[in-house]
Amino acid sequence: MPTHHFLTLLFFLLISCYALNAQEESEFGRPIDRKMLGLKKKEKLSHFKFYWHDIVSGHNPTSVAVVPPPIKVNTTTAFGLVNMIDNPLTLGPELSSKLVGKAQGFYASASQSEIDLLMAMNFAFIDGKYNGSTITILGRNPVFNKVREMPVIGGSGLFRFARGYGEARTHWFDLKTGDAIVEYNVYVMHY
């Protein structure tokens, strides 16, 4: 086979492989019209205020330890502790006030030197037009700071493509039981 025929064949094989790879990539990810996802509306900023009830005591706790801290590690901060939560969210600080949703997820003690929690939770709403929608929080919560700020990293339903932040303020804490009520103010950009 003459050299120029071989080079021509090699060239066409390379072009074919490139075309096949390009086609596979375009099927994996492609631009779409924003309107297809309901993003034709103008983005808005919403503020939500509610109370988060972390109940670790009693017969029906809403927060349970699923991973205890290792005994050999510094126990003054409970480093390594992981709690799963299904905490009520209410309009007022009383547990008997109107239930607007649940905080579902976990928090973990993530510091060896202070009580710092890693919070990973969805605020799953059940009230009004927000019923079935969620706001997702993932961030650091240094619990003894007066105000703790955590990022909103997304959401679902009315909060698709959400971003923003939440501020947590301890409203009440029982040293004996570990139960707490925390006021959350959440500021969310969404469509």
Side-chain angles (χ1 to χ4, degrees):
M1 178 185 271
T3 306
H4 70 282
H5 289 298
F6 176 74
L7 290 175
T8 304
L9 179 62
L10 183 61
F11 175 75
F12 282 115
L13 282 173
L14 289 173
I15 293 293
S16 298
C17 289
Y18 176 77
L20 286 174
N21 284 337
Q23 183 180 5
E24 287 176 15
E25 288 176 351
S26 68
E27 290 175 9
F28 172 71
R30 60 184 171 82
I32 61 171
D33 186 355
R34 297 167 47 94
K35 293 175 185 172
M36 288 177 54
L37 294 177
L39 300 179
K40 55 188 169 235
K41 300 179 227 166
K42 186 176 179 182
E43 194 173 28
K44 57 189 161 221
L45 173 64
S46 296
H47 170 238
F48 298 90
K49 179 181 176 180
F50 47 81
Y51 291 85
W52 181 87
H53 299 265
D54 194 46
I55 304 166
V56 296
S57 67
H59 298 304
N60 192 22
T62 63
S63 176
V64 295
V66 293
V67 178
I71 294 173
K72 296 178 185 177
V73 178
N74 173 359
T75 58
T76 60
T77 66
F79 178 65
L81 170 75
V82 179
N83 272 39
M84 292 302 296
I85 62 170
D86 187 23
N87 290 349
L89 302 175
T90 61
L91 281 183
E94 302 80 23
L95 187 56
S96 60
S97 66
K98 183 177 181 176
L99 183 71
V100 294
K102 296 280 191 102
Q104 298 172 325
F106 70 89
Y107 58 80
S109 180
S111 175
Q112 294 181 10
S113 59
E114 60 183 316
I115 300 182
D116 261 350
L117 301 177
L118 164 66
M119 307 293 291
M121 61 184 163
N122 286 311
F123 295 137
F125 297 110
I126 61 168
D127 188 51
K129 72 177 185 178
Y130 302 109
N131 183 23
S133 296
T134 66
I135 293 173
T136 304
I137 298 277
L138 176 65
R140 178 178 176 262
N141 182 355
V143 296
F144 289 122
N145 288 5
K146 183 176 180 178
V147 179
R148 289 90 66 193
E149 184 177 310
M150 292 165 274
V152 169
I153 62 164
S156 67
L158 293 178
F159 302 110
R160 288 184 194 125
F161 298 102
R163 66 188 190 286
Y165 68 99
E167 291 181 343
R169 291 173 177 79
T170 302
H171 178 78
W172 174 81
F173 177 69
D174 186 330
L175 279 171
K176 281 192 276 182
T177 65
D179 293 351
I181 300 170
V182 178
E183 176 187 310
Y184 271 86
N185 283 277
V186 182
Y187 301 89
V188 184
M189 298 290 294
H190 62 102
Y191 290 93

